[in-house]
Amino acid sequence: MHETDTIAALATAPGTGGIAIVRISGPDAEKLLSALFTPARKWESHRLYYGHAVYQGETLDECMAVLMRAPRSYTREDVAEIHLHGGDWAARSVLSALYALGARAAGAGEFTRRAFLNGRIDLSRAEAVMALISAEGGRAARAAVRQLSGGVSAFIKGAQEELITILSGVAAAIDYPEEISFEEAAGSLESGARALAQKLEAACDERGARIAEQGLEVVLCGRPNVGKSSLLNAISRQERAIVTDIPGTTRDIIRADVMLSGIRVHFSDTAGIREHTDAIETIGVARARQAIAGADVVIVVLDASRKLTKEDQELLSQVEGIPSIIVLNKGDLPMQLSPSDFKDAIVLSAAQGMGLEALEQRILSFAAGAGESALTQARHMALARQAARSLYQAANACQMGEAVDMAAVDLHDALDALGRITGDQVDERLIDDIFSRFCVGK
């Protein structure tokens, strides 16, 4: 891929819309813009102009255009944008003209790749661009914005500085053994390395990052006719599940996605768990138990208007020790179950909509802190944990009385791992892999 040529691509989503933006970046951006945009003018950087896109005497569209001269642009190259009416024809025609005039079609993520290679952003910020584009909820978006604003960079740079300080102490002990004793150097290295390793581990919250990015998996379970399907419909505000008085109506998993305070919550209504002989229902119950095992939160729905059954008690035993919420449904009817008999039970009526807000708040408590750790990308957390392992190895080596210069090898390995997060230490294959996941035009 040639980083010195001029590229062009559609920067907005393809298809019908209010506006379509064609982006150009590279040394010939101004020349290509002037060749297409009329009336001809002496371009003033970062100023939007009105005119027409014209190629070979044909007016392609009425449009606006802007030139952003380097280095004050997204890629730190000369960048031009042509703002057209939305729709396929105008954008496709302008791009075809640009390619005929010498521009090359941009590859996936090539604009952001150039921003990274030209030093405008580091690798963690480049990844934040794609994370922000793909964010499905407020938590994920806020985490991406924090990363884009340099939160990850600042954290990693701080860790690198601490590590360099530790390495400086090692170098001083090696160069001036008469002034710094082995015991003093080893003790300082051990304590510093362990403290930094713990800080890096604390910055990694895989579960919270996954919940912020992918959502919280919540499974509704209980015996037949306790109101699981009614609760799914009530909390999703739509008729997702069939509700009847016939036991065993739900035989497969029915899902509904709900956004709660910026967290996407995936609700799964499952088949009623009971003793039965129906072959189809047997499969449904097996899937219900499988869904329970893979859930972030299990909601055990009990019929508050009836006493506990054997199936209820078995299900309550099954969810002991896993994140769960006990819901006493049908609270609008005469109660046969007391909330005091259960730990933190929520009384509600799915049919009447009573108690749903309390249930939503309890569900959100299981997502507390999601996406708020210093590191939220899987690649970053894997590298931070790798650095932490190297730091622990260095600390353990000192504890066992090995020479501090041997421990320094592990410290350099940790520094290398941290550098791969921001792109200070990175190879071409990793760059290709990261930017291949971007959309064209970004």
Side-chain angles (χ1 to χ4, degrees), residues 177-231:
E178 68 282 355
E179 296 182 18
I180 303 174
S181 68
F182 168 81
E183 291 76 12
E184 183 182 357
S188 177
L189 188 156
E190 182 185 351
S191 61
R194 287 196 194 282
L196 182 54
Q198 290 165 2
K199 182 188 291 189
L200 290 172
E201 287 182 329
C204 302
D205 178 11
E206 282 88 351
R207 179 182 178 275
R210 177 186 58 77
I211 289 171
E213 181 181 351
Q214 301 175 15
L216 190 72
E217 290 288 342
V218 178
V219 171
L220 306 176
C221 65
R223 60 181 173 80
N225 276 21
V226 295
K228 300 185 302 299
S229 297
S230 297
L231 181 54

Side-chain angles (χ1 to χ4, degrees), residues 47-347:
R47 185 169 181 177
L48 196 64
Y49 294 94
Y50 165 78
H52 293 80
V54 179
Y55 180 62
Q56 295 183 339
E58 180 185 0
T59 299
L60 304 179
D61 197 7
E62 181 183 30
C63 60
M64 305 288 285
V66 59
L67 174 69
M68 292 163 276
R69 289 196 175 94
R72 294 173 54 229
S73 71
Y74 183 68
T75 61
R76 276 197 177 166
E77 301 174 328
D78 284 352
V79 171
E81 288 183 353
I82 304 174
H83 296 217
L84 307 157
H85 287 95
D88 288 334
W89 188 86
R92 193 166 57 244
S93 299
V94 167
L95 281 170
S96 295
L98 287 168
Y99 299 151
L101 290 166
R104 173 174 63 79
E110 192 170 357
F111 292 99
T112 305
R113 181 188 181 118
R114 291 189 175 201
F116 163 66
L117 293 174
N118 292 330
R120 182 182 172 273
I121 55 176
D122 66 21
L123 198 56
S124 68
R125 292 192 192 190
E127 291 170 292
V129 172
M130 199 60 216
L132 184 58
I133 292 171
S134 59
E136 294 188 355
R139 292 281 186 94
R142 285 193 291 273
V145 168
R146 191 168 62 249
Q147 184 178 332
L148 187 59
S149 301
V152 171
S153 301
F155 175 77
I156 295 302
K157 277 188 176 139
Q160 288 172 320
E161 287 171 5
E162 287 185 48
L163 192 42
I164 289 169
T165 298
I166 297 170
L167 279 165
S168 298
V170 173
I174 294 171
D175 293 339
Y176 306 103
E178 68 282 355
E179 296 182 18
I180 303 174
S181 68
F182 168 81
E183 291 76 12
E184 183 182 357
S188 177
L189 188 156
E190 182 185 351
S191 61
R194 287 196 194 282
L196 182 54
Q198 290 165 2
K199 182 188 291 189
L200 290 172
E201 287 182 329
C204 302
D205 178 11
E206 282 88 351
R207 179 182 178 275
R210 177 186 58 77
I211 289 171
E213 181 181 351
Q214 301 175 15
L216 190 72
E217 290 288 342
V218 178
V219 171
L220 306 176
C221 65
R223 60 181 173 80
N225 276 21
V226 295
K228 300 185 302 299
S229 297
S230 297
L231 181 54
L232 181 74
N233 291 343
I235 206 163
S236 65
R237 275 73 174 177
Q238 54 181 313
E239 295 297 316
R240 292 289 299 146
I242 297 173
V243 177
T244 73
D245 293 330
I246 303 171
T249 303
T250 301
R251 297 191 172 202
D252 203 350
I253 294 175
I254 300 173
R255 291 174 64 86
D257 289 353
V258 179
M259 192 68 73
L260 299 179
S261 298
I263 291 286
R264 184 170 294 279
V265 183
H266 307 289
F267 287 96
S268 296
D269 179 22
T270 60
I273 297 175
R274 63 170 177 173
E275 295 291 337
H276 50 80
T277 57
D278 187 308
I280 297 176
E281 200 170 347
T282 299
I283 297 172
V285 171
R287 289 183 178 179
R289 296 190 189 281
Q290 186 177 13
I292 290 170
D296 292 311
V297 184
V298 175
I299 297 179
V300 180
V301 184
L302 304 175
D303 184 347
S305 68
R306 296 179 180 274
K307 294 187 179 298
L308 283 183
T309 66
K310 177 185 174 184
E311 287 89 353
D312 291 329
Q313 292 170 336
E314 287 178 352
L315 187 55
L316 288 169
S317 297
Q318 183 181 343
V319 300
E320 279 185 8
I322 65 175
S324 58
I325 303 170
I326 297 174
V327 164
L328 305 183
N329 190 30
K330 305 185 184 181
D332 54 321
L333 302 177
M335 301 267 292
Q336 293 293 316
L337 299 179
S338 171
S340 61
D341 294 334
F342 307 90
K343 184 179 179 181
D344 300 325
I346 294 176
V347 178

Side-chain angles (χ1 to χ4, degrees), residues 14-35:
T16 303
I19 193 169
I21 299 175
V22 170
R23 177 178 287 163
I24 313 162
S25 182
D28 293 332
E30 182 174 351
K31 182 177 79 172
L32 292 172
L33 179 61
S34 297

